[in-house]
């Protein structure tokens, strides 16, 4: 369904260093590469063969299946015989096909391909540049944002259940099975962490509850939503920027590049986020989840984190601008490290605490600066962050 434009891009992406192949494996891999190249060349030179005719959909699905099989076979071979980067290029090429198939839809994309088939000199990137982000599918809705607030009640239930015996718990809640999935791993007076195993994975999702009494909720909230301030307080953030913004809900697509310890590659995240501070209900919510965006493709310099979700709710003790609040954060990501699951889960649980303390210190520093500026201007009753909270 991508036609000659995308397939030529795919054909060009199948490049690797011959020096990375040993003498024994090189002939077999060259034969497999030749098969794939012939398949791509056939579609580039004769696109009407699979894009036109009464059975075009059947032909296209057969072509996609055959292409996927060839890419997977070569990807396995290159994983064993070549560098990891070369194998990632092949996997990425197939992901591009599936991404654009999902973005466009079959009918719309076929119309674009047919309308451009007679223009032989058309730029190859014309089709790619026409990609767009589907906010209808990926925006954070009001209902989804409001649902995050349920974490406050969920944590209260977890804390109550942590002080009950198994017999008491089994008779209390119809949702006992769901609550029992959460295992408490940190239990301090003002800081608690629970975790539960993610299905079909060796990794855990984390739920964190904490209290800060030395800063106002607005400072803690704004430190996290103000991307321009991130590099100041998080030195591991190499780049963070907004890719696109939704006018309807104020949802944003963000690209975040995060430095991992040497010799690991940095990780980059593409996620859609939304945040809201509602004075009427006295609550603040920040939510984010991984997505894909056509203007932010994967690169060889980073490892893309494709599984990521985070949400935080902040409950002020009094108002947004007075010290003291509770917060709950629920978090999960898969950074695709080679650490043993037990080792990574330990790092993740300690890393969550470290991250929140880092945010706390940054918020405290920013709030103190804002107070000093406000004091000098003799306007202590003004909003210290007039442009940040929504």
């Amino acid at each position: 369904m991508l036609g000659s434009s995308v397939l030529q891009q795919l054909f060009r992406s199948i490049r690797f260093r011959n020096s990375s192949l040993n003498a024994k494996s090189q002939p077999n891999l060259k034969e497999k590469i030749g098969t794939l190249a012939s398949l791509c060349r056939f579609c580039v030179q004769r696109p009407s063969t699979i894009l036109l005719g009464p059975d075009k959909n059947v032909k296209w699905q057969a072509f996609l299946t055959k292409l996927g099989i060839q890419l997977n076979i070569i990807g396995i071979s290159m994983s064993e015989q070549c560098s990891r980067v070369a194998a990632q290029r092949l996997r990425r090429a197939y992901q591009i096909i599936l991404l654009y198939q999902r973005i466009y839809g079959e009918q719309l994309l076929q119309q674009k391909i047919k309308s451009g088939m007679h223009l032989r000199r058309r730029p190859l990137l014309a089709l790619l540049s026409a990609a767009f982000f589907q906010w209808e599918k990926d925006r954070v809705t009001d209902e989804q944002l409001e649902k995050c607030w349920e974490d406050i009640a969920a944590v209260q239930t977890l804390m109550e259940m942590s002080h009950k015996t198994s017999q008491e718990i089994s008779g209390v809640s119809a949702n006992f099975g769901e609550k029992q999935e959460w295992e408490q791993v940190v239990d301090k007076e003002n800081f608690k962490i629970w975790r539960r195993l993610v299905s079909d994975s060796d990794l855990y999702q984390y739920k964190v509850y904490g209290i800060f009494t030395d800063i106002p909720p607005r400072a803690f909230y704004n430190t996290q939503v103000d991307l321009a301030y991130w590099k100041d307080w998080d030195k591991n953030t190499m780049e963070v920027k907004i890719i696109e913004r939704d006018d309807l809900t104020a949802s944003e697509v963000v690209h975040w590049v995060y430095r991992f310890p040497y010799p690991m590659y940095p990780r980059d995240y593409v996620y859609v986020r939304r945040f809201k501070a509602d004075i009427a209900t006295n609550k603040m919510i920040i939510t984010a989840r991984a997505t894909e965006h056509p203007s932010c493709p994967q690169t060889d310099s980073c490892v893309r984190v494709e599984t990521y979700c985070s949400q935080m709710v902040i409950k002020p003790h009094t108002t947004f601008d007075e010290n003291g609040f509770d917060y709950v954060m629920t978090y999960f990501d898969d950074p695709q490290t080679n650490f043993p699951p037990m080792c990574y889960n330990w790092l993740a649980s300690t890393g969550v605490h470290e991250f929140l303390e880092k945010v706390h210190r940054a918020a405290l520093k920013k709030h103190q600066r804002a107070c000093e500026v406000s004091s000098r201007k003799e306007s202590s009753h003004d909003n210290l962050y007039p442009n940040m909270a929504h």
Side-chain angles (χ1 to χ4, degrees):
M1 194 164 54
L2 296 176
S4 60
S5 297
V6 177
L7 287 169
Q8 287 189 20
Q9 293 297 319
L10 170 63
F11 183 66
R12 291 179 180 179
S13 70
I14 306 172
R15 297 194 300 264
F16 62 93
R17 300 191 189 109
N18 288 332
S19 58
S20 63
L21 302 175
N22 58 47
K24 182 178 179 180
S25 63
Q26 192 169 5
N28 291 334
L29 190 55
K30 280 188 174 181
E31 181 181 349
K32 295 172 182 176
I33 292 291
T35 302
L36 178 60
S38 299
L39 185 64
C40 293
R41 191 179 301 111
F42 172 78
C43 190
V44 169
Q45 295 175 351
R46 301 177 61 188
S48 59
T49 303
I50 61 172
L51 294 175
L52 300 177
D55 56 346
K56 57 185 178 183
N57 292 334
V58 175
K59 292 179 180 178
W60 175 249
Q61 292 301 326
F63 172 76
L64 271 185
T65 301
K66 189 173 182 180
L67 181 61
I69 292 173
Q70 292 296 325
L71 285 170
N72 286 332
I73 291 174
I74 297 174
I76 293 172
S77 299
M78 294 185 74
S79 296
E80 297 173 350
Q81 302 163 357
C82 306
S83 67
R84 183 180 179 182
V85 172
Q88 285 179 335
R89 287 178 179 174
L90 287 167
R91 287 194 295 269
R92 188 178 306 122
Y94 191 46
Q95 290 169 357
I96 289 173
I97 292 178
L98 298 180
L99 171 62
Y100 278 83
Q101 183 177 5
R102 185 170 68 254
I103 286 177
Y104 278 109
E106 193 164 322
Q107 297 299 325
L108 176 60
L109 191 54
Q110 284 189 4
Q111 290 175 5
K112 288 181 176 292
I113 293 172
K114 291 177 184 177
S115 63
M117 279 172 55
H118 65 282
L119 299 177
R120 296 294 184 181
R121 297 183 181 180
R122 195 166 191 162
L124 295 178
L125 293 179
L127 184 60
L128 294 176
S129 63
F132 56 90
F133 187 74
Q134 290 187 320
W135 281 114
E136 293 77 9
K137 179 174 65 73
D138 289 314
R139 67 167 52 99
V140 180
T141 65
D142 292 340
E143 292 77 14
Q144 291 170 338
L145 196 68
E146 209 49 42
K147 189 173 179 61
C148 297
W149 190 249
E150 296 176 2
D151 273 359
I152 291 289
V155 160
Q156 293 297 328
T157 303
L158 287 174
M159 288 193 292
E160 292 173 4
M161 293 175 65
S162 66
H163 300 294
K164 296 179 181 292
T165 65
S166 298
Q167 292 181 347
E168 291 174 327
I169 293 174
S170 60
V172 168
S173 174
N175 296 325
F176 168 65
E178 179 182 351
K179 304 300 182 186
Q180 193 182 36
E181 294 177 356
W182 291 98
E183 170 195 5
Q184 189 162 18
V185 292
V186 175
D187 186 10
K188 298 181 180 180
E189 183 178 359
N190 291 331
F191 186 77
K192 305 178 189 297
I193 300 179
W194 294 265
R195 70 178 187 180
R196 68 177 176 184
L197 192 64
V198 177
S199 59
D200 301 323
S201 169
D202 293 324
L203 303 177
Y204 287 89
Q205 182 184 32
Y206 294 89
K207 193 178 292 293
V208 183
Y209 167 77
I211 301 174
F212 288 122
T213 58
D214 56 346
I215 55 174
R218 194 187 298 273
F220 189 68
Y221 169 87
N222 286 337
T223 297
Q224 296 178 75
V225 302
D226 182 6
L227 298 186
Y229 185 44
W230 268 30
K231 284 188 177 182
D232 291 345
W233 60 265
D234 187 358
K235 300 305 179 184
N236 289 322
T237 293
M238 302 171 63
E239 180 184 358
V240 60
K241 61 182 179 181
I242 297 173
I243 303 299
E244 189 174 337
R245 183 181 175 89
D246 177 35
D247 294 333
L248 182 63
T249 63
S251 299
E252 298 172 339
V253 177
V254 177
H255 183 217
W256 176 33
V257 183
Y258 191 79
R259 181 182 293 107
F260 264 48
Y262 180 84
M264 290 187 291
Y265 280 94
R267 265 53 179 175
D268 76 325
Y269 298 71
V270 177
Y271 60 90
V272 59
R273 73 166 187 170
R274 186 179 174 189
F275 48 89
K276 182 178 182 181
D278 191 341
I279 296 178
T281 57
N282 202 36
K283 59 188 180 184
M284 297 169 156
I285 302 173
I286 307 170
T287 183
R289 62 173 182 260
T291 188
E292 296 173 318
H293 197 282
S295 67
C296 193
Q298 297 184 39
T299 67
D300 294 338
S301 60
C302 299
V303 175
R304 174 65 52 86
V305 178
E306 298 177 343
T307 304
Y308 164 70
C309 59
S310 172
Q311 60 189 46
M312 176 177 285
V313 294
I314 302 171
K315 182 181 181 182
H317 292 169
T318 52
T319 68
F320 286 175
D321 298 302
E322 296 181 63
N323 288 358
F325 60 92
D326 295 5
Y327 68 88
V328 177
M329 184 179 78
T330 305
Y331 177 88
F332 170 72
D333 77 341
D334 181 4
Q336 302 181 55
T337 62
N338 291 323
F339 296 139
M342 182 178 298
C343 179
Y344 173 74
N345 289 325
W346 178 82
L347 291 172
S349 61
T350 57
V352 169
H353 190 191
E354 180 183 349
F355 170 79
L356 291 169
E357 282 298 330
K358 192 185 297 184
V359 175
H360 169 244
R361 291 192 298 269
L364 180 61
K365 183 178 179 180
K366 188 172 187 178
H367 180 62
Q368 290 172 344
R369 288 178 179 175
C371 288
E372 292 172 1
V373 172
S374 178
S375 178
R376 287 197 298 268
K377 293 182 178 180
E378 297 182 352
S379 58
S380 58
H381 296 291
D382 293 341
N383 182 0
L384 300 179
Y385 312 93
N387 298 320
M388 289 306 304
H390 301 293

